Amino acid sequence: MSYAIKLDIFEGPLDLLLYLIKKNEVDIYNIPIAIITEQYLNHMEIMRSMNLDLAGEYLVLAATLLNIKSKMLLPPEEKEEGEEEQPDPRAELVRQLLEYQTFKEAAFNLGQRTLLERDVFKRGIVPEVKTEPEEELIEVDLFQLVEAFREIVSGLKDEDLMEIDTEKMSLSDRIHEIMERLSVEKSMHFRDLLADVHDRRMIIYTLLAILELMKMRIVKAYQTHAFGPIRIFLAVEE
Amino acid sequence: MEDLRSIVEALIFASEAPLSLDKIVDIIGMTDREAIVDILKALEEEYANRNGGFHLSEVAGGYQFRTRADMASWLRKLKGIKPPGLSQAALETLAVVAYRQPVTRQEIEKVRGVDVSGALRGLLEKKLLRMLGRKNVPGKPIIYGTTKRFLEVFNLKDLAELPTLREFQELQE
Amino acid sequence: MEDLRSIVEALIFASEAPLSLDKIVDIIGMTDREAIVDILKALEEEYANRNGGFHLSEVAGGYQFRTRADMASWLRKLKGIKPPGLSQAALETLAVVAYRQPVTRQEIEKVRGVDVSGALRGLLEKKLLRMLGRKNVPGKPIIYGTTKRFLEVFNLKDLAELPTLREFQELQE
């Protein structure tokens, strides 16, 4: 039973592997791969039999272990003159384990700190200061912004509305730039807009932006004669 | 009873509402009410004599630390410099404009299902949104978009850097 | 300046978040920072010596009154809460971000060896982490960093107060 509880609290395959290394009291720099792999696979088997959700990451590490094991079974190749020594097949795994262990230690240290609302508390009541009533304000960051948008559109039936088109975002960026320039210069040559654009995608976005603005009838494009320069105007004065 | 004083003080300090004598006695699990009453009196007196930024008052059937009345003008100033926040309504409106721009008020209202004129005005004042122009259709509705300031506030290089819903969904298990 | 001390004290007391020296100076409208610094030091000392239910701490780049750590069990009784605490998964994710920021989800997952989307989302909701923008590499993944709230909750003056990773590595040897 205690076994089962233990299994449940592994934070992932690296955590399980660290546990096995500690339990067997072996050197992390010289892991006896055959033994550890066998125990690792046994643990996976037990987890599976208990219907624990076995994340794919456990399988990936199992494959890595088996791969290392097979490499270690091969007889060392005859070293030729000047050839470099074969790297230890365990090297990358050891590096990963050490790194994970370091952060596990750091996480433990964080949890040991004096935590607000667990160990210490701040003042409970906001002292009233008479001010005119206003809506409660919240501090926002990018996460809150997307969350707000997701909440709104998730209530809509229209599947199309769920899509966020990153292309459209780039297009909006271009539209902003064009509108910024037009609000200063009132009108301009189409080719001026492309003067310092070298990126092919940017050229396409510029064309699409103009088309979008024309479609919304925010700008108008005029040409004095066929193949003449195209001028762009704000369609409606603000 | 040095430490009992500290416990009483900490409880009042951290309480969300004025803390009653009954509640204090209840939490400390002591039957000697008088001891607590004495501590409360002593604390009240101590803070009154000290005459610092706040003191202990008896209000609404309980005890509470309150700032001194003559500090009000300073505290108003403190409130005034709070980081500019947004109401939920403003945040939602901003979100729709950010992801759907260039967009008219009617289009925003179709998505949010409520009148957004107040929220729009606030966002224009905060310079998070701006009018891009007018759509040349009947009624000539104004078209809104986000500003440079919007990008600054949300620490974005450009609009294309906004997280997509797909990325957002990936964070959900 | 007896009253300046009271004003500083009232401001810190009333502020929702830790109040920085800059803000105090700004509100009081004084150019003599040193005078304020002296007051803050004197207040810190006074509350430490008094050893009451709460004291003044320097945290998250500012000052805040906080209950004494050994009062925790009484305050939990008051609030009727179990210590909320963070899961091991959340703490590990937080540790990777704190030390490696700005960092992408993929980078965190490489260290932890598991999917971290659920943990990330929880930490974003708790405002311990935030999206900083995007990394300028193919795929433009979102990058994450810790917040001021992280410093506040973990009782840190700044990120530099965290022990170095090297110290944890040495522990293992």
Side-chain angles (χ1 to χ4, degrees):
Chain A
M1 194 58 210
S2 68
Y3 207 46
I5 291 160
K6 184 86 209 141
L7 284 170
D8 214 8
I9 58 164
F10 287 125
E11 285 302 324
L14 291 174
D15 202 21
L16 170 56
L17 205 49
L18 271 185
Y19 164 77
L20 292 176
I21 288 166
K22 281 217 181 87
K23 201 188 76 169
N24 289 284
E25 294 178 335
V26 296
D27 183 2
I28 197 166
Y29 293 98
N30 191 18
I31 303 169
I33 277 296
I35 302 168
I36 297 292
T37 303
E38 196 194 319
Q39 292 185 7
Y40 182 91
L41 294 175
N42 278 344
H43 270 76
M44 276 185 61
E45 205 43 60
I46 295 164
M47 285 193 251
R48 219 193 310 260
S49 66
M50 293 192 316
N51 284 325
L52 282 179
D53 220 1
L54 254 196
E57 296 101 351
Y58 281 95
L59 295 168
V60 173
L61 187 59
T64 306
L65 285 171
L66 288 168
N67 186 23
I68 294 173
K69 190 177 150 192
S70 68
K71 273 190 190 155
M72 306 261 313
L73 286 175
L74 291 176
E77 284 173 45
E78 283 291 309
K79 253 189 11 178
E80 283 188 30
E81 203 59 28
E83 202 183 23
E84 276 187 46
E85 189 137 3
Q86 291 281 19
D88 189 330
R90 299 169 296 185
E92 171 56 22
L93 183 65
V94 170
R95 189 203 62 74
Q96 237 183 314
L97 278 170
L98 286 173
E99 188 183 40
Y100 175 66
Q101 195 175 31
T102 302
F103 279 104
K104 208 179 141 153
E105 213 48 73
F108 177 75
N109 179 268
L110 276 180
Q112 294 290 98
R113 295 192 62 86
T114 306
L115 289 200
L116 191 65
E117 300 293 316
R118 184 186 75 183
D119 308 313
V120 293
F121 296 81
K122 51 182 191 176
R123 176 186 44 78
I125 318 163
V126 187
E128 309 94 275
V129 180
K130 295 253 156 34
T131 43
E132 57 277 30
E134 56 181 288
E135 261 190 290
E136 200 198 338
L137 296 185
I138 44 179
E139 267 186 85
V140 292
D141 78 352
L142 210 47
F143 178 71
Q144 269 74 36
L145 187 80
V146 211
E147 169 76 18
F149 186 66
R150 190 194 59 82
E151 293 248 317
I152 296 164
V153 294
S154 65
L156 300 174
K157 290 210 181 76
D158 197 338
E159 284 289 311
D160 282 356
L161 285 168
M162 287 293 290
E163 291 287 309
I164 293 177
D165 192 344
T166 41
E167 302 271 300
K168 189 173 173 227
M169 289 294 111
S170 300
L171 188 57
S172 292
D173 282 321
R174 201 64 187 131
I175 287 175
H176 279 208
E177 285 161 28
I178 295 169
M179 289 304 290
E180 207 117 285
R181 283 185 65 176
L182 269 179
S183 65
V184 180
E185 297 169 32
K186 299 301 174 211
S187 79
M188 55 193 183
H189 281 293
F190 180 60
R191 55 154 197 274
D192 289 347
L193 267 178
L194 293 171
D196 38 77
V197 179
H198 305 295
D199 180 6
R200 248 193 58 205
R201 272 164 37 111
M202 227 15 207
I203 296 172
I204 294 166
Y205 283 135
T206 306
L207 286 169
L208 289 174
I210 297 284
L211 288 175
E212 180 75 14
L213 286 167
M214 284 172 65
K215 198 175 83 192
M216 291 193 298
R217 301 185 201 185
I218 297 175
V219 304
K220 283 180 178 157
Y222 292 105
Q223 202 173 18
T224 43
H225 53 273
F227 310 114
I230 301 169
R231 284 191 80 84
I232 296 156
F233 296 84
L234 274 179
V236 187
E237 290 294 315
E238 279 182 52
Chain B
M1 277 289 257
E2 174 68 20
D3 222 44
L4 193 52
R5 184 198 70 162
S6 296
I7 296 169
V8 171
E9 193 177 73
L11 289 172
I12 297 170
F13 173 82
S15 172
E16 305 279 336
L19 199 62
S20 69
L21 176 61
D22 283 351
K23 189 98 193 265
I24 297 172
V25 171
D26 186 38
I27 291 168
I28 298 185
M30 243 179 95
T31 40
D32 189 3
R33 282 174 81 89
E34 281 315 303
I36 308 280
V37 172
D38 288 346
I39 285 171
L40 287 166
K41 274 193 193 136
L43 279 174
E44 245 177 320
E45 210 175 313
E46 186 190 341
Y47 280 98
N49 290 335
R50 185 172 169 274
N51 202 25
F54 54 90
H55 46 217
L56 184 60
S57 347
E58 217 181 320
V59 281
Y63 292 83
Q64 184 176 54
F65 283 108
R66 300 196 144 195
T67 49
R68 246 167 60 192
D70 57 343
M71 295 287 149
S73 63
W74 297 105
L75 297 179
R76 243 173 264 136
K77 263 180 119 169
L78 170 72
K79 250 200 125 183
I81 61 156
K82 257 196 178 170
L86 290 175
S87 67
Q88 187 62 30
L91 176 64
E92 288 179 8
T93 305
L94 189 59
V96 176
V97 177
Y99 283 100
R100 287 284 175 259
Q101 61 189 315
V103 68
T104 66
R105 180 161 69 87
Q106 291 72 17
E107 287 159 353
I108 306 167
E109 287 177 347
K110 212 174 130 195
V111 178
R112 281 204 53 219
V114 291
D115 176 84
V116 298
S117 42
L120 267 181
R121 200 176 327 116
L123 291 165
L124 288 166
E125 270 166 18
K126 287 201 169 72
K127 298 204 192 303
L128 293 171
L129 294 187
R130 65 191 182 124
M131 302 176 184
L132 282 174
R134 281 177 189 279
K135 199 165 181 171
N136 212 354
V137 295
K140 302 216 174 192
I142 295 169
I143 300 165
Y144 298 92
T146 54
T147 58
K148 261 212 177 103
R149 167 120 190 93
F150 166 82
L151 295 176
E152 277 165 27
V153 167
F154 288 92
N155 202 21
L156 295 162
K157 268 206 276 303
D158 50 44
L159 291 169
E161 279 207 335
L162 279 169
T164 63
L165 283 188
R166 209 167 61 79
E167 284 172 311
F168 194 79
Q169 233 99 46
E170 276 170 11
L171 290 179
Q172 287 172 303
E173 267 181 340
Chain C
M1 223 14 211
E2 171 69 19
D3 221 44
L4 193 53
R5 186 199 66 160
S6 296
I7 296 170
V8 171
E9 193 177 72
L11 288 172
I12 296 170
F13 178 82
S15 174
E16 196 51 41
L19 195 62
S20 70
L21 175 63
D22 282 350
K23 270 193 181 168
I24 298 172
V25 171
D26 189 35
I27 292 167
I28 298 184
M30 242 180 96
T31 40
D32 189 1
R33 282 174 80 90
E34 280 315 302
I36 308 280
V37 171
D38 288 347
I39 286 171
L40 287 167
K41 273 194 194 132
L43 279 173
E44 247 181 311
E45 213 173 312
E46 188 190 337
Y47 280 97
N49 289 335
R50 185 175 170 274
N51 202 26
F54 53 89
H55 47 214
L56 186 60
S57 353
E58 212 182 325
V59 66
Y63 293 83
Q64 189 173 54
F65 284 107
R66 296 185 157 202
T67 55
R68 242 168 61 193
D70 57 345
M71 298 280 143
S73 61
W74 299 104
L75 295 167
R76 271 182 231 138
K77 248 177 126 176
L78 166 76
K79 308 219 165 195
I81 48 165
K82 285 225 171 78
L86 291 160
S87 68
Q88 184 63 22
L91 281 173
E92 286 184 10
T93 304
L94 205 49
V96 178
V97 179
Y99 283 96
R100 286 278 161 86
Q101 60 188 318
V103 68
T104 66
R105 178 160 71 89
Q106 291 72 17
E107 287 161 350
I108 308 167
E109 288 180 344
K110 228 175 135 192
V111 175
R112 287 201 53 219
V114 290
D115 178 85
V116 300
S117 44
L120 259 185
R121 200 190 149 81
L123 293 166
L124 285 165
E125 267 164 12
K126 288 198 172 78
K127 295 200 180 203
L128 294 172
L129 295 186
R130 65 195 182 107
M131 296 174 172
L132 291 175
R134 283 176 192 274
K135 192 168 180 172
N136 210 359
V137 295
K140 297 221 171 199
I142 293 173
I143 44 179
Y144 300 90
T146 54
T147 58
K148 241 195 181 148
R149 172 100 189 124
F150 165 75
L151 297 175
E152 204 188 328
V153 169
F154 283 87
N155 199 31
L156 291 159
K157 275 186 207 134
D158 49 41
L159 286 171
E161 217 192 319
L162 282 172
T164 61
L165 283 183
R166 179 151 292 285
E167 286 170 60
F168 297 124
Q169 277 159 10
E170 276 159 13
L171 271 177
Q172 297 161 12
E173 272 144 36

